[in-house]
Amino acid sequence: AQSVTQLDSHVSVSEGTPVLLRCNYSSSYSPSLFWYVQHPNKGLQLLLKYTSAATLVKGINGFEAEFKKSETSFHLTKPSAHMSDAAEYFCVVSDGLISNAGKSTFGDGTTLTVKP
Amino acid sequence: NAGVMQNPRHLVRRRGQEARLRCSPMKGHSHVYWYRQLPEEGLKFMVYLQKENIIDESGMPKERFSAEFPKEGPSILRIQQVVRGDSAAYFCASSPTGTGSTEAFFGQGTRLTVV
């Protein structure tokens, strides 16, 4: 069984300040973990993924996430927020190597607001 | 290589009508997954299909919803006698294999509005 909890439903930051979106997961096996971004009325864009290689994962648009097994966390960070980062962010877990990547479990999402 | 293609992007149906949502997986992908995103919520898994087979439909509502992935052509998610509560975004994803795949690729979604 797998589950994911996004600890904040809304995060608001000022432009140019750091972003932290928190995610905790549980998985019966070694999980694959993903962060997706969804802009209003748009599809899903993959930001980054962890699949048992390096624990610090770098993604697109300056985002990165660190897999911490001891804390069962996969928090998303960015050093400096940009106005265009305002969107909904989803943390996703998948027992991909045992089950299949398509049957993933999504968190409820975190809405990121960026203030000028 | 085109990504996962879903059509239509937007669909409006009156209560009681049927909705048909189409998904063409990425080239070379034979595994398709459907998800539903209700307003203000994350995506919830509905069904997993391979060509001509339903592998896992544990997330599908028991009535009115069906899915197929024929030998030729796109995967179809069919909703009969739609109700207001069916209004949602429906996303399709595909992967090249089942077990062992580390990522599924998502389409842009179909936004169904029931009026």
Side-chain angles (χ1 to χ4, degrees):
Chain A
Q2 57 195 26
S3 67
V4 60
T5 302
Q6 291 185 241
L7 299 168
D8 307 291
S9 58
H10 292 86
V11 170
S12 181
V13 301
S14 297
E15 189 176 20
T17 63
V19 175
L20 170 64
L21 305 183
R22 298 182 295 165
C23 172
N24 286 111
Y25 71 92
S26 70
S27 175
S28 302
Y29 306 101
S30 296
S32 297
L33 292 156
F34 310 83
W35 276 99
Y36 286 87
V37 61
Q38 184 181 31
H39 288 89
N41 296 314
K42 300 289 186 184
L44 293 165
Q45 182 180 20
L46 179 67
L47 282 177
L48 49 80
K49 64 179 179 180
Y50 166 79
T51 56
S52 76
T55 56
L56 182 62
V57 182
K58 293 188 184 297
I60 62 171
N61 300 337
F63 285 95
E64 63 181 39
E66 186 172 7
F67 173 71
K68 291 187 176 180
K69 187 175 181 179
S70 61
E71 298 176 12
T72 61
S73 69
F74 190 58
H75 300 334
L76 181 70
T77 61
K78 182 173 181 177
S80 176
H82 192 273
M83 295 297 290
S84 61
D85 294 328
E88 188 83 8
Y89 290 79
F90 293 100
C91 181
V92 181
V93 63
S94 170
D95 291 333
L97 296 178
I98 302 297
S99 176
N100 64 74
K103 191 177 177 183
S104 302
T105 299
F106 279 69
D108 287 336
T110 298
T111 302
L112 176 65
T113 301
V114 181
K115 297 175 289 186
Chain B
N1 185 7
V4 177
M5 304 300 292
Q6 291 187 248
N7 68 82
R9 293 290 305 279
H10 300 274
L11 182 62
V12 179
R13 285 287 177 266
R14 296 185 184 279
R15 281 178 293 173
Q17 291 185 319
E18 177 180 286
R20 282 184 176 239
L21 289 64
R22 295 175 184 77
C23 169
S24 296
M26 288 181 69
K27 187 176 181 181
H29 288 193
S30 58
H31 299 253
V32 166
Y33 317 84
W34 284 93
Y35 286 78
R36 177 167 65 175
Q37 183 182 28
L38 294 170
E40 308 293 325
E41 294 186 13
L43 280 70
K44 298 291 191 292
F45 169 80
M46 299 179 75
V47 62
Y48 162 35
L49 309 103
Q50 294 179 31
K51 290 278 188 181
E52 301 183 280
N53 281 304
I54 297 174
I55 306 303
D56 183 341
E57 56 182 348
S58 57
M60 285 280 270
K62 294 290 185 285
E63 297 178 345
R64 302 187 297 107
F65 284 72
S66 62
E68 63 176 9
F69 189 17
K71 186 176 181 180
E72 301 291 337
S75 174
I76 306 288
L77 179 67
R78 182 181 178 205
I79 311 172
Q80 294 179 290
Q81 300 174 346
V82 296
V83 300
R84 287 254 171 88
D86 297 332
S87 295
Y90 293 83
F91 287 91
C92 169
S94 73
S95 65
T97 63
T99 301
S101 292
T102 57
E103 182 185 347
F105 297 82
F106 284 84
Q108 294 294 298
T110 293
R111 280 161 179 79
L112 172 66
T113 302
V114 179
V115 297

Short mmCIF file of all heavy atoms in Angstrom, two decimals, chain A residues 10 32 34 36 38-44 46 49 51 88 90 94-109 111, chain B residues 9-10 33 35 37 40-45 48 55-56 58 89 91 93 95 97-109 111:
data_model
loop_
_atom_site.label_atom_id
_atom_site.label_comp_id
_atom_site.label_asym_id
_atom_site.label_seq_id
_atom_site.Cartn_x
_atom_site.Cartn_y
_atom_site.Cartn_z
N HIS A 10 -1.97 25.31 1.15
CA HIS A 10 -1.66 26.59 0.52
C HIS A 10 -0.32 27.08 1.07
O HIS A 10 -0.07 27.01 2.27
CB HIS A 10 -2.73 27.63 0.80
CG HIS A 10 -4.04 27.34 0.14
ND1 HIS A 10 -4.99 26.53 0.71
CD2 HIS A 10 -4.54 27.73 -1.06
CE1 HIS A 10 -6.04 26.45 -0.09
NE2 HIS A 10 -5.80 27.17 -1.17
N SER A 32 9.02 5.04 -6.04
CA SER A 32 9.38 6.11 -6.96
C SER A 32 8.54 7.31 -6.54
O SER A 32 7.37 7.17 -6.20
CB SER A 32 9.06 5.72 -8.41
OG SER A 32 9.82 4.60 -8.82
N PHE A 34 7.56 11.54 -7.30
CA PHE A 34 7.50 12.54 -8.35
C PHE A 34 6.89 13.83 -7.79
O PHE A 34 6.09 13.80 -6.85
CB PHE A 34 6.60 12.07 -9.50
CG PHE A 34 6.90 10.70 -10.02
CD1 PHE A 34 6.40 9.57 -9.40
CD2 PHE A 34 7.68 10.53 -11.15
CE1 PHE A 34 6.67 8.29 -9.87
CE2 PHE A 34 7.96 9.25 -11.64
CZ PHE A 34 7.44 8.15 -11.00
N TYR A 36 4.76 16.97 -9.64
CA TYR A 36 4.15 17.52 -10.85
C TYR A 36 3.63 18.93 -10.55
O TYR A 36 3.23 19.22 -9.42
CB TYR A 36 2.96 16.68 -11.32
CG TYR A 36 3.33 15.36 -11.96
CD1 TYR A 36 3.52 14.22 -11.19
CD2 TYR A 36 3.45 15.25 -13.34
CE1 TYR A 36 3.83 13.00 -11.78
CE2 TYR A 36 3.77 14.04 -13.94
CZ TYR A 36 3.95 12.93 -13.15
OH TYR A 36 4.26 11.73 -13.75
N GLN A 38 0.79 21.85 -11.98
CA GLN A 38 -0.39 22.04 -12.82
C GLN A 38 -0.79 23.51 -12.76
O GLN A 38 -1.20 24.00 -11.72
CB GLN A 38 -1.55 21.16 -12.35
CG GLN A 38 -2.77 21.23 -13.24
CD GLN A 38 -3.92 20.37 -12.72
OE1 GLN A 38 -4.08 20.17 -11.52
NE2 GLN A 38 -4.72 19.84 -13.64
N HIS A 39 -0.67 24.18 -13.89
CA HIS A 39 -1.14 25.55 -13.97
C HIS A 39 -2.64 25.55 -14.24
O HIS A 39 -3.18 24.55 -14.75
CB HIS A 39 -0.38 26.33 -15.05
CG HIS A 39 1.03 26.63 -14.65
ND1 HIS A 39 2.09 25.77 -14.91
CD2 HIS A 39 1.57 27.65 -13.97
CE1 HIS A 39 3.20 26.28 -14.42
NE2 HIS A 39 2.92 27.42 -13.84
N PRO A 40 -3.34 26.63 -13.89
CA PRO A 40 -4.80 26.65 -14.00
C PRO A 40 -5.31 26.16 -15.35
O PRO A 40 -4.86 26.63 -16.39
CB PRO A 40 -5.14 28.12 -13.75
CG PRO A 40 -4.04 28.61 -12.89
CD PRO A 40 -2.81 27.89 -13.36
N ASN A 41 -6.22 25.19 -15.29
CA ASN A 41 -6.86 24.64 -16.49
C ASN A 41 -5.87 24.06 -17.49
O ASN A 41 -6.12 24.04 -18.69
CB ASN A 41 -7.73 25.69 -17.17
CG ASN A 41 -8.87 26.13 -16.29
OD1 ASN A 41 -9.55 25.29 -15.69
ND2 ASN A 41 -9.08 27.42 -16.17
N LYS A 42 -4.74 23.62 -16.97
CA LYS A 42 -3.73 23.00 -17.84
C LYS A 42 -3.50 21.56 -17.40
O LYS A 42 -4.04 21.09 -16.41
CB LYS A 42 -2.41 23.77 -17.74
CG LYS A 42 -2.50 25.23 -18.15
CD LYS A 42 -2.68 25.37 -19.63
CE LYS A 42 -2.62 26.84 -20.04
NZ LYS A 42 -2.89 27.04 -21.48
N GLY A 43 -2.68 20.86 -18.18
CA GLY A 43 -2.33 19.49 -17.84
C GLY A 43 -1.23 19.44 -16.80
O GLY A 43 -0.86 20.44 -16.20
N LEU A 44 -0.71 18.25 -16.61
CA LEU A 44 0.34 18.02 -15.62
C LEU A 44 1.71 18.07 -16.28
O LEU A 44 1.91 17.48 -17.34
CB LEU A 44 0.15 16.66 -14.97
CG LEU A 44 -1.08 16.50 -14.10
CD1 LEU A 44 -1.33 15.04 -13.83
CD2 LEU A 44 -0.91 17.27 -12.80
N LEU A 46 5.74 17.24 -15.43
CA LEU A 46 6.65 16.61 -14.49
C LEU A 46 7.78 17.57 -14.16
O LEU A 46 8.48 18.06 -15.04
CB LEU A 46 7.21 15.32 -15.09
CG LEU A 46 8.21 14.55 -14.22
CD1 LEU A 46 7.52 13.99 -12.98
CD2 LEU A 46 8.86 13.44 -15.02
N LYS A 49 11.78 13.62 -10.63
CA LYS A 49 11.42 12.30 -10.13
C LYS A 49 12.60 11.67 -9.41
O LYS A 49 13.76 11.92 -9.75
CB LYS A 49 10.96 11.40 -11.27
CG LYS A 49 12.02 11.10 -12.32
CD LYS A 49 11.47 10.17 -13.39
CE LYS A 49 12.53 9.88 -14.45
NZ LYS A 49 12.01 8.98 -15.52
N THR A 51 13.99 7.84 -8.41
CA THR A 51 13.78 6.42 -8.67
C THR A 51 14.96 5.60 -8.16
O THR A 51 15.50 4.76 -8.86
CB THR A 51 13.58 6.16 -10.17
OG1 THR A 51 14.71 6.69 -10.87
CG2 THR A 51 12.32 6.79 -10.69
N GLU A 88 -0.52 24.82 -8.93
CA GLU A 88 -0.81 23.71 -8.02
C GLU A 88 0.29 22.67 -8.18
O GLU A 88 0.68 22.34 -9.29
CB GLU A 88 -2.17 23.09 -8.37
CG GLU A 88 -2.68 22.06 -7.40
CD GLU A 88 -3.39 22.69 -6.21
OE1 GLU A 88 -3.60 23.91 -6.23
OE2 GLU A 88 -3.70 21.95 -5.26
N PHE A 90 1.72 18.80 -7.09
CA PHE A 90 1.31 17.48 -6.60
C PHE A 90 2.53 16.60 -6.34
O PHE A 90 3.39 16.45 -7.22
CB PHE A 90 0.40 16.78 -7.61
CG PHE A 90 -0.93 17.44 -7.79
CD1 PHE A 90 -1.17 18.27 -8.87
CD2 PHE A 90 -1.94 17.24 -6.86
CE1 PHE A 90 -2.39 18.90 -9.03
CE2 PHE A 90 -3.17 17.87 -7.02
CZ PHE A 90 -3.40 18.70 -8.10
N SER A 94 4.74 6.08 -6.23
CA SER A 94 4.41 4.90 -7.01
C SER A 94 5.34 3.77 -6.61
O SER A 94 6.54 3.99 -6.47
CB SER A 94 4.58 5.20 -8.50
OG SER A 94 4.48 4.02 -9.25
N ASP A 95 4.78 2.60 -6.41
CA ASP A 95 5.60 1.41 -6.21
C ASP A 95 5.99 0.88 -7.58
O ASP A 95 5.73 -0.26 -7.91
CB ASP A 95 4.82 0.35 -5.43
CG ASP A 95 4.58 0.75 -3.98
OD1 ASP A 95 5.39 1.53 -3.46
OD2 ASP A 95 3.59 0.29 -3.42
N GLY A 96 6.61 1.73 -8.36
CA GLY A 96 6.76 1.44 -9.79
C GLY A 96 7.56 0.21 -10.11
O GLY A 96 7.26 -0.49 -11.07
N LEU A 97 8.55 -0.10 -9.32
CA LEU A 97 9.39 -1.24 -9.69
C LEU A 97 8.73 -2.56 -9.34
O LEU A 97 9.13 -3.60 -9.82
CB LEU A 97 10.75 -1.12 -8.99
CG LEU A 97 11.58 0.09 -9.42
CD1 LEU A 97 12.88 0.15 -8.64
CD2 LEU A 97 11.87 0.04 -10.91
N ILE A 98 7.74 -2.52 -8.50
CA ILE A 98 7.06 -3.75 -8.11
C ILE A 98 5.69 -3.81 -8.78
O ILE A 98 5.33 -4.82 -9.37
CB ILE A 98 6.88 -3.82 -6.58
CG1 ILE A 98 8.23 -3.72 -5.89
CG2 ILE A 98 6.13 -5.08 -6.21
CD1 ILE A 98 9.15 -4.87 -6.20
N SER A 99 4.98 -2.75 -8.70
CA SER A 99 3.65 -2.70 -9.29
C SER A 99 3.76 -2.07 -10.66
O SER A 99 4.38 -2.63 -11.54
CB SER A 99 2.71 -1.92 -8.36
OG SER A 99 1.45 -1.77 -8.95
N ASN A 100 3.22 -0.92 -10.85
CA ASN A 100 3.47 -0.22 -12.10
C ASN A 100 3.34 1.28 -11.87
O ASN A 100 2.62 1.72 -11.00
CB ASN A 100 2.53 -0.69 -13.21
CG ASN A 100 1.09 -0.39 -12.89
OD1 ASN A 100 0.68 0.76 -12.98
ND2 ASN A 100 0.34 -1.40 -12.51
N ALA A 101 4.07 2.01 -12.67
CA ALA A 101 4.15 3.45 -12.47
C ALA A 101 2.82 4.13 -12.72
O ALA A 101 2.57 5.20 -12.20
CB ALA A 101 5.20 4.04 -13.38
N GLY A 102 1.97 3.52 -13.51
CA GLY A 102 0.74 4.21 -13.84
C GLY A 102 -0.27 4.23 -12.71
O GLY A 102 -1.09 5.12 -12.63
N LYS A 103 -0.19 3.26 -11.82
CA LYS A 103 -1.13 3.26 -10.71
C LYS A 103 -0.47 3.99 -9.55
O LYS A 103 0.00 3.40 -8.60
CB LYS A 103 -1.52 1.84 -10.30
CG LYS A 103 -2.69 1.83 -9.34
CD LYS A 103 -3.12 0.42 -8.98
CE LYS A 103 -4.25 0.48 -7.96
NZ LYS A 103 -4.67 -0.87 -7.51
N SER A 104 -0.43 5.28 -9.69
CA SER A 104 0.24 6.13 -8.71
C SER A 104 -0.77 6.72 -7.75
O SER A 104 -1.97 6.77 -8.03
CB SER A 104 0.97 7.27 -9.43
OG SER A 104 1.92 6.77 -10.35
N THR A 105 -0.26 7.19 -6.62
CA THR A 105 -1.10 7.85 -5.63
C THR A 105 -0.69 9.30 -5.54
O THR A 105 0.48 9.60 -5.29
CB THR A 105 -0.96 7.19 -4.26
OG1 THR A 105 -1.38 5.82 -4.37
CG2 THR A 105 -1.83 7.89 -3.23
N PHE A 106 -1.65 10.18 -5.76
CA PHE A 106 -1.41 11.61 -5.74
C PHE A 106 -1.75 12.19 -4.37
O PHE A 106 -2.71 11.78 -3.73
CB PHE A 106 -2.28 12.31 -6.78
CG PHE A 106 -1.75 12.26 -8.19
CD1 PHE A 106 -1.70 11.06 -8.89
CD2 PHE A 106 -1.27 13.40 -8.81
CE1 PHE A 106 -1.21 11.00 -10.18
CE2 PHE A 106 -0.78 13.36 -10.10
CZ PHE A 106 -0.75 12.16 -10.79
N GLY A 107 -0.95 13.18 -3.95
CA GLY A 107 -1.36 13.99 -2.82
C GLY A 107 -2.49 14.92 -3.23
O GLY A 107 -2.85 15.00 -4.41
N ASP A 108 -3.05 15.60 -2.25
CA ASP A 108 -4.18 16.48 -2.52
C ASP A 108 -3.77 17.81 -3.15
O ASP A 108 -4.63 18.59 -3.54
CB ASP A 108 -4.96 16.74 -1.24
CG ASP A 108 -5.76 15.52 -0.81
OD1 ASP A 108 -6.08 14.68 -1.68
OD2 ASP A 108 -6.05 15.40 0.39
N GLY A 109 -2.48 18.05 -3.20
CA GLY A 109 -2.00 19.25 -3.86
C GLY A 109 -1.69 20.39 -2.90
O GLY A 109 -2.29 20.50 -1.83
N THR A 111 -1.30 24.59 -3.24
CA THR A 111 -1.43 25.77 -4.09
C THR A 111 -0.35 26.78 -3.69
O THR A 111 -0.31 27.22 -2.54
CB THR A 111 -2.82 26.42 -3.93
OG1 THR A 111 -3.82 25.46 -4.26
CG2 THR A 111 -2.94 27.61 -4.85
N ARG B 9 -10.53 18.32 -25.51
CA ARG B 9 -9.96 18.97 -24.35
C ARG B 9 -11.07 19.44 -23.41
O ARG B 9 -10.90 19.44 -22.20
CB ARG B 9 -9.11 20.17 -24.78
CG ARG B 9 -7.84 19.79 -25.54
CD ARG B 9 -6.81 19.11 -24.62
NE ARG B 9 -6.48 19.91 -23.46
CZ ARG B 9 -5.62 20.90 -23.46
NH1 ARG B 9 -4.99 21.23 -24.57
NH2 ARG B 9 -5.38 21.57 -22.34
N HIS B 10 -12.16 19.85 -23.97
CA HIS B 10 -13.31 20.29 -23.19
C HIS B 10 -14.56 19.63 -23.75
O HIS B 10 -14.71 19.54 -24.97
CB HIS B 10 -13.47 21.81 -23.25
CG HIS B 10 -12.29 22.56 -22.72
ND1 HIS B 10 -12.12 22.84 -21.39
CD2 HIS B 10 -11.20 23.05 -23.35
CE1 HIS B 10 -10.98 23.49 -21.21
NE2 HIS B 10 -10.40 23.62 -22.38
N TYR B 33 -3.68 4.37 -18.38
CA TYR B 33 -4.28 4.58 -17.07
C TYR B 33 -5.19 5.80 -17.14
O TYR B 33 -4.83 6.81 -17.75
CB TYR B 33 -3.20 4.83 -16.01
CG TYR B 33 -2.01 3.91 -16.13
CD1 TYR B 33 -0.96 4.20 -17.00
CD2 TYR B 33 -1.92 2.75 -15.37
CE1 TYR B 33 0.13 3.36 -17.12
CE2 TYR B 33 -0.83 1.90 -15.49
CZ TYR B 33 0.19 2.21 -16.37
OH TYR B 33 1.27 1.38 -16.48
N TYR B 35 -7.32 8.67 -14.82
CA TYR B 35 -7.45 9.31 -13.53
C TYR B 35 -8.56 10.35 -13.61
O TYR B 35 -8.83 10.92 -14.67
CB TYR B 35 -6.15 10.04 -13.15
CG TYR B 35 -5.02 9.17 -12.73
CD1 TYR B 35 -4.24 8.49 -13.66
CD2 TYR B 35 -4.67 9.03 -11.39
CE1 TYR B 35 -3.18 7.69 -13.27
CE2 TYR B 35 -3.61 8.25 -10.99
CZ TYR B 35 -2.88 7.59 -11.94
OH TYR B 35 -1.82 6.80 -11.55
N GLN B 37 -9.88 13.97 -11.68
CA GLN B 37 -9.55 15.05 -10.76
C GLN B 37 -10.80 15.88 -10.53
O GLN B 37 -11.22 16.64 -11.41
CB GLN B 37 -8.43 15.94 -11.32
CG GLN B 37 -8.01 17.04 -10.35
CD GLN B 37 -6.94 17.94 -10.92
OE1 GLN B 37 -6.85 18.13 -12.14
NE2 GLN B 37 -6.11 18.50 -10.06
N GLU B 40 -10.70 21.04 -6.86
CA GLU B 40 -9.97 21.28 -5.61
C GLU B 40 -9.36 20.00 -5.03
O GLU B 40 -9.01 19.97 -3.85
CB GLU B 40 -10.88 21.90 -4.54
CG GLU B 40 -11.63 23.15 -5.00
CD GLU B 40 -10.72 24.32 -5.28
OE1 GLU B 40 -9.72 24.46 -4.56
OE2 GLU B 40 -10.99 25.09 -6.21
N GLU B 41 -9.22 18.96 -5.83
CA GLU B 41 -8.65 17.71 -5.32
C GLU B 41 -7.50 17.24 -6.20
O GLU B 41 -7.28 17.75 -7.30
CB GLU B 41 -9.73 16.63 -5.25
CG GLU B 41 -10.84 16.91 -4.25
CD GLU B 41 -11.79 15.74 -4.12
OE1 GLU B 41 -11.48 14.64 -4.62
OE2 GLU B 41 -12.86 15.92 -3.52
N GLY B 42 -6.78 16.25 -5.70
CA GLY B 42 -5.74 15.61 -6.49
C GLY B 42 -6.33 14.59 -7.43
O GLY B 42 -7.54 14.35 -7.45
N LEU B 43 -5.49 13.97 -8.22
CA LEU B 43 -5.94 12.96 -9.16
C LEU B 43 -6.16 11.63 -8.44
O LEU B 43 -5.36 11.24 -7.59
CB LEU B 43 -4.91 12.76 -10.28
CG LEU B 43 -4.91 13.78 -11.41
CD1 LEU B 43 -4.41 15.14 -10.96
CD2 LEU B 43 -4.07 13.26 -12.58
N LYS B 44 -7.21 10.94 -8.83
CA LYS B 44 -7.51 9.64 -8.24
C LYS B 44 -7.52 8.60 -9.36
O LYS B 44 -8.19 8.77 -10.38
CB LYS B 44 -8.88 9.66 -7.54
CG LYS B 44 -8.96 10.64 -6.38
CD LYS B 44 -8.13 10.21 -5.21
CE LYS B 44 -8.40 11.01 -3.94
NZ LYS B 44 -7.97 12.39 -4.04
N PHE B 45 -6.80 7.52 -9.13
CA PHE B 45 -6.71 6.42 -10.10
C PHE B 45 -8.08 5.81 -10.33
O PHE B 45 -8.86 5.58 -9.40
CB PHE B 45 -5.75 5.36 -9.57
CG PHE B 45 -5.76 4.08 -10.35
CD1 PHE B 45 -5.07 3.95 -11.54
CD2 PHE B 45 -6.50 2.99 -9.89
CE1 PHE B 45 -5.09 2.76 -12.25
CE2 PHE B 45 -6.52 1.80 -10.59
CZ PHE B 45 -5.81 1.68 -11.78
N TYR B 48 -6.74 0.76 -15.12
CA TYR B 48 -5.49 0.46 -15.82
C TYR B 48 -5.82 -0.57 -16.90
O TYR B 48 -6.39 -1.61 -16.61
CB TYR B 48 -4.47 -0.04 -14.83
CG TYR B 48 -3.27 -0.79 -15.38
CD1 TYR B 48 -2.68 -0.44 -16.59
CD2 TYR B 48 -2.71 -1.83 -14.64
CE1 TYR B 48 -1.57 -1.14 -17.06
CE2 TYR B 48 -1.60 -2.52 -15.11
CZ TYR B 48 -1.03 -2.18 -16.32
OH TYR B 48 0.06 -2.85 -16.79
N ILE B 55 -6.86 -4.42 -16.65
CA ILE B 55 -5.98 -5.05 -15.68
C ILE B 55 -6.43 -4.74 -14.25
O ILE B 55 -6.41 -5.60 -13.38
CB ILE B 55 -4.53 -4.60 -15.87
CG1 ILE B 55 -4.08 -4.84 -17.32
CG2 ILE B 55 -3.61 -5.31 -14.88
CD1 ILE B 55 -4.21 -6.28 -17.77
N ASP B 56 -6.81 -3.51 -14.02
CA ASP B 56 -7.17 -3.08 -12.67
C ASP B 56 -8.21 -1.97 -12.78
O ASP B 56 -7.91 -0.93 -13.32
CB ASP B 56 -5.90 -2.57 -11.94
CG ASP B 56 -6.15 -2.15 -10.50
OD1 ASP B 56 -7.31 -1.90 -10.13
OD2 ASP B 56 -5.17 -2.06 -9.74
N SER B 58 -10.04 -0.98 -10.01
CA SER B 58 -10.41 -0.80 -8.61
C SER B 58 -10.89 0.61 -8.30
O SER B 58 -11.57 0.82 -7.30
CB SER B 58 -9.24 -1.17 -7.70
OG SER B 58 -8.10 -0.40 -8.02
N ALA B 89 -11.98 16.90 -14.31
CA ALA B 89 -10.96 16.73 -15.34
C ALA B 89 -10.55 15.27 -15.35
O ALA B 89 -10.30 14.69 -14.29
CB ALA B 89 -9.76 17.62 -15.06
N PHE B 91 -7.83 12.60 -16.72
CA PHE B 91 -6.49 12.52 -17.28
C PHE B 91 -6.17 11.07 -17.66
O PHE B 91 -6.53 10.13 -16.95
CB PHE B 91 -5.44 13.01 -16.27
CG PHE B 91 -5.45 14.49 -16.08
CD1 PHE B 91 -6.25 15.06 -15.10
CD2 PHE B 91 -4.67 15.31 -16.88
CE1 PHE B 91 -6.26 16.44 -14.91
CE2 PHE B 91 -4.68 16.69 -16.71
CZ PHE B 91 -5.48 17.25 -15.72
N ALA B 93 -2.87 8.56 -18.77
CA ALA B 93 -1.42 8.41 -18.75
C ALA B 93 -1.06 7.12 -19.46
O ALA B 93 -1.88 6.20 -19.55
CB ALA B 93 -0.90 8.40 -17.31
N SER B 95 2.39 4.23 -20.23
CA SER B 95 3.75 3.80 -19.95
C SER B 95 4.11 2.68 -20.91
O SER B 95 3.23 1.99 -21.44
CB SER B 95 3.89 3.33 -18.50
OG SER B 95 3.13 2.17 -18.26
N THR B 97 5.72 -0.12 -20.33
CA THR B 97 5.50 -1.43 -19.74
C THR B 97 4.69 -1.24 -18.48
O THR B 97 4.41 -0.11 -18.06
CB THR B 97 6.83 -2.13 -19.38
OG1 THR B 97 7.49 -1.34 -18.38
CG2 THR B 97 7.73 -2.27 -20.58
N GLY B 98 4.33 -2.32 -17.84
CA GLY B 98 3.61 -2.23 -16.57
C GLY B 98 4.61 -2.30 -15.45
O GLY B 98 5.21 -1.32 -15.07
N THR B 99 4.79 -3.50 -14.92
CA THR B 99 5.75 -3.68 -13.84
C THR B 99 7.15 -3.27 -14.32
O THR B 99 7.58 -3.67 -15.38
CB THR B 99 5.78 -5.16 -13.41
OG1 THR B 99 4.47 -5.52 -12.99
CG2 THR B 99 6.75 -5.37 -12.28
N GLY B 100 7.81 -2.47 -13.53
CA GLY B 100 9.15 -2.06 -13.88
C GLY B 100 9.22 -0.66 -14.47
O GLY B 100 10.29 -0.07 -14.54
N SER B 101 8.09 -0.13 -14.90
CA SER B 101 8.10 1.25 -15.40
C SER B 101 8.31 2.18 -14.22
O SER B 101 7.73 1.98 -13.16
CB SER B 101 6.78 1.59 -16.07
OG SER B 101 6.64 0.87 -17.26
N THR B 102 9.10 3.19 -14.39
CA THR B 102 9.30 4.14 -13.31
C THR B 102 8.54 5.43 -13.54
O THR B 102 8.55 6.30 -12.69
CB THR B 102 10.80 4.46 -13.15
OG1 THR B 102 11.30 4.96 -14.38
CG2 THR B 102 11.56 3.22 -12.74
N GLU B 103 7.89 5.57 -14.64
CA GLU B 103 7.18 6.82 -14.90
C GLU B 103 6.07 6.59 -15.91
O GLU B 103 6.24 5.83 -16.86
CB GLU B 103 8.13 7.87 -15.45
CG GLU B 103 7.47 9.23 -15.71
CD GLU B 103 8.43 10.20 -16.35
OE1 GLU B 103 9.64 9.92 -16.38
OE2 GLU B 103 7.96 11.24 -16.84
N ALA B 104 4.96 7.24 -15.65
CA ALA B 104 3.90 7.28 -16.63
C ALA B 104 3.82 8.71 -17.15
O ALA B 104 4.12 9.66 -16.43
CB ALA B 104 2.57 6.86 -16.01
N PHE B 105 3.42 8.86 -18.39
CA PHE B 105 3.37 10.17 -19.04
C PHE B 105 1.90 10.58 -19.19
O PHE B 105 1.08 9.81 -19.68
CB PHE B 105 4.04 10.09 -20.41
CG PHE B 105 5.50 9.76 -20.34
CD1 PHE B 105 5.93 8.45 -20.21
CD2 PHE B 105 6.46 10.77 -20.37
CE1 PHE B 105 7.28 8.14 -20.11
CE2 PHE B 105 7.81 10.48 -20.29
CZ PHE B 105 8.22 9.16 -20.15
N PHE B 106 1.61 11.79 -18.77
CA PHE B 106 0.22 12.25 -18.71
C PHE B 106 -0.15 13.10 -19.91
O PHE B 106 0.67 13.87 -20.43
CB PHE B 106 -0.02 13.06 -17.44
CG PHE B 106 -0.15 12.21 -16.21
CD1 PHE B 106 0.98 11.79 -15.52
CD2 PHE B 106 -1.40 11.82 -15.75
CE1 PHE B 106 0.87 10.98 -14.39
CE2 PHE B 106 -1.51 11.03 -14.62
CZ PHE B 106 -0.39 10.61 -13.94
N GLY B 107 -1.41 12.98 -20.31
CA GLY B 107 -1.98 13.86 -21.30
C GLY B 107 -2.44 15.16 -20.68
O GLY B 107 -2.29 15.38 -19.47
N GLN B 108 -3.00 16.04 -21.50
CA GLN B 108 -3.43 17.36 -21.05
C GLN B 108 -4.79 17.32 -20.36
O GLN B 108 -5.19 18.30 -19.76
CB GLN B 108 -3.49 18.33 -22.23
CG GLN B 108 -2.12 18.63 -22.83
CD GLN B 108 -1.24 19.38 -21.87
OE1 GLN B 108 -1.56 20.48 -21.46
NE2 GLN B 108 -0.11 18.79 -21.49
N GLY B 109 -5.47 16.20 -20.46
CA GLY B 109 -6.75 16.07 -19.76
C GLY B 109 -7.95 16.48 -20.61
O GLY B 109 -7.82 17.25 -21.57
N ARG B 111 -11.67 18.13 -19.82
CA ARG B 111 -12.50 18.74 -18.78
C ARG B 111 -13.96 18.57 -19.14
O ARG B 111 -14.42 19.16 -20.12
CB ARG B 111 -12.12 20.20 -18.58
CG ARG B 111 -10.88 20.30 -17.71
CD ARG B 111 -10.13 21.60 -17.78
NE ARG B 111 -8.98 21.56 -16.88
CZ ARG B 111 -7.83 20.96 -17.16
NH1 ARG B 111 -7.65 20.39 -18.32
NH2 ARG B 111 -6.85 20.94 -16.28
#
